[in-house]
Amino acid sequence: MGHARTHAVALLGLTGALVEVEADISGQLPGMILIGLPDTALSEAKQRVRAAAKNSGCSLTRNLLTINLSPAALPKHGSGFDLAIALACLAADGVVAPASVSSVVHIGELALDGRLRPTRGMLPAVLAASRAGYTTVMVPAGNADEAALVPGMRVIAVTSLRDAAIWHGAQLQPIPVDAMLLPVESVPDAEEPDLADVVGNDDAILALQIAAAGGHHVFMIGPPGAGKTMLAARLPGLLPDLDAEASLEVSSLRSLNGQRVGASLIVRPPLESPHHTATAAAMVGGGSGLIRPGAAARASHGVLFLDEAPEFQSAVLDALRQPLESGVITIHRANGTAQFPARFQLVMAANPCPCGQFGAADHDCTCPPSARRRYLARISGPLLDRIDIQLTVSRITAAHLRLAEAEPRVTSAMVRARVVDARATAAERLTGTPWSLNSHVPGPWLRGPHARLGGATTAPIDRALELGGITMRGYDRVLRLAWTIADLEGVSRPGAEQVGQALYLRKGRTS
């Protein structure tokens, strides 16, 4: 009778915890017992492991096998424990070397014929193993490129349980097996659209540049055909490449979502555009068992675009209020709490009324004033108060089109260079603080001795605050915008002109 142990990884959100997988052979009666708070998919590992071992030429013992997943109180989900369970059982029976198995973290799902299926969330799982001090991990060949993205980790890629057992010392002859690919088809990266495609709407183009430079949220209101969706789709192209930490988070979220990451980390900011029928769980994440990231989490370090924002359920929109402030989504379930990053830029677009023609010069609006108010009131005041830039986008006329075509257009590459310079200026000014973007700086710091502006400079927003035109949160957001405009223009501190422009961008929409 023998005993052996190895390790696997349990994911809760993006957080991974190392799990010790113990196998013990005892008694004379056949059977397999799996303990340690497994979910249904993990409980079914008993049948998968026994069939995979038999078809790999290394059948499990007929004596009673007890497999313990420790810590026992930690919830464990999914089928990624199959490889660790199988090798622990084989090590307890002496088929493979127990010392070899105990020094490696094993992650992967077994098919009944012994092949290894790629597993979702491989990148955050291997990252968790690395942070726990392990330097060697065995994964399915279909996940090898993704696992190799973790620095300092030795990755052993195997196509089958037979290959894994041979690597750990089993006396078997290798049998070539084709590697299995991810069961979820990957989505190809689309080419980023260029800002040069936008004709006219100079105010909106400038607002996008300011939003990109400072990481500010945007709300655009205008009739259908004004170009709101076209503008929003070009905001990610204005953002700089992701740094190493952000790239690792975005790639980990993509892996957790079941998309292929490939041999290199994702370096461009993502764009998520959920449909207006999305539920709160689809927006922020959830699930009764394994908690998956929602659109807001997948948009982290990128852009979350909500087209036809008033058509979203109010509860779905209001679920974004807390992530907009904290940059983190926390999902509580009875068996655990998962956290996802949520430092995204929110871009919302809306028609001015149900028919969409209010304010359009070429069409008459058929909506009464009460209907217009009710329509826009679907977006709550507290959510709108968190949006830095609020502007009206108008349709382009033929005269505007002829004028715009005669002028040189700004490209996304040109704007991105300006945005990189502006962000570098802000980061230098904020050296020694926890922030690097103007949109992240809290109000007390902006109004404190480090960044306080003179009374003559802030007079317009002081009056707006006194008259109730803006709230205290809105006051601070105007200051953030003013600093971003100053960074873009290359001036050391905002003046009255920058503060006035920021106030216009804050209050520039009509309803």
Side-chain angles (χ1 to χ4, degrees):
M1 306 304 172
H3 177 273
R5 63 169 58 88
T6 186
H7 291 86
V9 177
L11 285 177
L12 190 57
L14 274 189
T15 305
L18 214 64
V19 174
E20 187 178 67
V21 181
E22 297 177 282
D24 183 79
I25 301 175
S26 60
Q28 300 298 320
L29 296 176
M32 183 184 292
I33 302 172
L34 183 60
I35 57 177
L37 208 60
D39 69 348
T40 302
L42 182 48
S43 296
E44 293 169 349
K46 295 181 291 185
Q47 287 76 26
R48 288 193 301 272
V49 166
R50 191 171 287 282
K54 174 179 176 294
N55 292 321
S56 298
C58 44
S59 298
L60 299 182
T61 177
R62 292 187 174 276
N63 295 334
L64 179 64
L65 270 166
T66 303
I67 299 106
N68 179 44
L69 308 177
S70 179
L74 178 71
K76 302 162 192 75
H77 305 283
S79 54
F81 296 83
D82 290 3
L83 181 60
I85 292 172
L87 289 171
C89 292
L90 292 174
D93 199 24
V95 176
V96 298
S100 176
V101 168
S102 65
S103 63
V104 178
V105 176
H106 300 90
I107 308 168
E109 175 188 343
L110 286 170
L112 296 184
D113 60 359
R115 291 179 299 165
L116 275 169
R117 300 180 184 275
T119 304
R120 286 188 177 196
M122 182 59 70
L123 180 56
V126 176
L127 191 60
S130 176
R131 289 170 176 167
Y134 280 80
T135 58
T136 307
V137 63
M138 182 176 285
V139 303
N143 287 128
D145 289 343
E146 186 178 332
L149 295 174
V150 179
M153 181 63 72
R154 180 191 180 193
V155 177
I156 303 161
V158 291
T159 58
S160 66
L161 176 59
R162 187 183 183 91
D163 287 347
I166 292 171
W167 193 91
H168 283 298
Q171 300 302 309
L172 299 169
Q173 291 298 318
I175 299 176
V177 176
D178 292 334
M180 300 181 73
L181 299 178
L182 275 172
V184 179
E185 186 176 343
S186 62
V187 179
D189 294 326
E191 184 178 348
E192 290 179 328
D194 200 284
L195 194 63
D197 299 333
V198 180
V199 178
N201 272 324
D202 293 341
D203 286 350
I205 291 175
L206 177 60
L208 279 189
Q209 297 180 45
I210 295 170
H216 303 286
H217 309 305
V218 182
F219 177 42
M220 295 181 287
I221 185 170
K228 304 184 295 296
T229 302
M230 189 177 190
L231 287 162
R234 279 147 183 79
L235 179 55
L238 311 185
L239 301 178
D241 286 344
L242 303 174
D243 59 28
E245 183 179 353
S247 181
L248 194 57
E249 274 193 353
V250 171
S251 301
S252 295
L253 285 164
R254 183 165 181 165
S255 172
L256 199 61
N257 198 44
Q259 295 176 305
R260 190 182 301 278
V261 174
S264 60
L265 293 173
I266 297 168
V267 296
R268 293 301 302 146
L271 171 66
E272 288 289 329
S273 181
H275 193 260
H276 64 259
T277 56
T279 63
M283 184 65 74
V284 298
S288 58
L290 187 59
I291 300 175
R292 295 291 186 194
R298 297 194 301 271
S300 194
H301 304 291
V303 176
L304 177 64
F305 175 46
L306 306 184
D307 200 7
E308 305 294 346
E311 301 295 339
F312 283 80
Q313 298 179 30
S314 297
V316 174
L317 293 177
D318 287 339
L320 296 174
R321 285 158 54 178
Q322 183 266 337
L324 286 176
E325 292 293 329
S326 66
V328 175
I329 291 174
T330 304
I331 300 173
H332 297 273
R333 293 292 183 268
N335 57 358
T337 301
Q339 276 196 344
F340 295 107
R343 187 66 75 180
F344 56 85
Q345 284 184 248
L346 177 63
V347 179
M348 295 195 301
N351 294 327
C353 63
C355 78
Q357 305 303 329
F358 179 71
D362 52 347
H363 287 82
D364 293 328
C365 175
T366 59
C367 306
S370 59
R372 294 198 297 268
R373 286 194 297 270
R374 282 196 304 271
Y375 184 71
L376 291 179
R378 297 178 185 178
I379 306 174
S380 68
L383 177 60
L384 278 178
D385 203 32
R386 289 167 166 82
I387 308 300
D388 301 357
I389 299 174
Q390 305 178 22
L391 72 154
T392 299
V393 182
S394 303
R395 287 189 182 127
I396 301 300
T397 65
H400 289 149
L401 179 61
R402 285 192 293 271
L403 287 174
E405 288 179 338
E407 297 177 354
R409 299 183 197 172
V410 62
T411 65
S412 293
M414 295 164 56
V415 173
R416 191 187 303 169
R418 292 186 63 201
V419 167
V420 169
D421 291 340
R423 289 194 173 199
T425 300
E428 183 179 355
R429 182 177 65 252
L430 297 170
T431 300
T433 72
W435 320 290
S436 59
L437 287 178
N438 290 321
S439 60
H440 299 167
V441 181
W445 195 91
L446 291 171
R447 290 179 269 109
H450 302 89
R452 183 181 293 124
L453 304 177
T457 303
T458 60
I461 53 177
D462 291 338
R463 286 195 299 271
L465 182 63
E466 287 292 332
L467 297 174
I470 57 175
T471 63
M472 195 65 221
R473 181 189 282 120
Y475 185 99
D476 292 340
R477 292 188 180 277
V478 172
L479 290 178
R480 294 172 184 169
L481 277 173
W483 276 103
T484 299
I485 295 169
D487 292 338
L488 269 175
E489 295 179 353
V491 298
S492 58
R493 292 176 70 83
E497 181 180 350
Q498 285 79 26
V499 171
Q501 187 178 4
L503 182 60
Y504 167 75
L505 288 172
R506 172 73 182 179
K507 302 293 292 180
R509 71 181 181 92
T510 58
S511 56

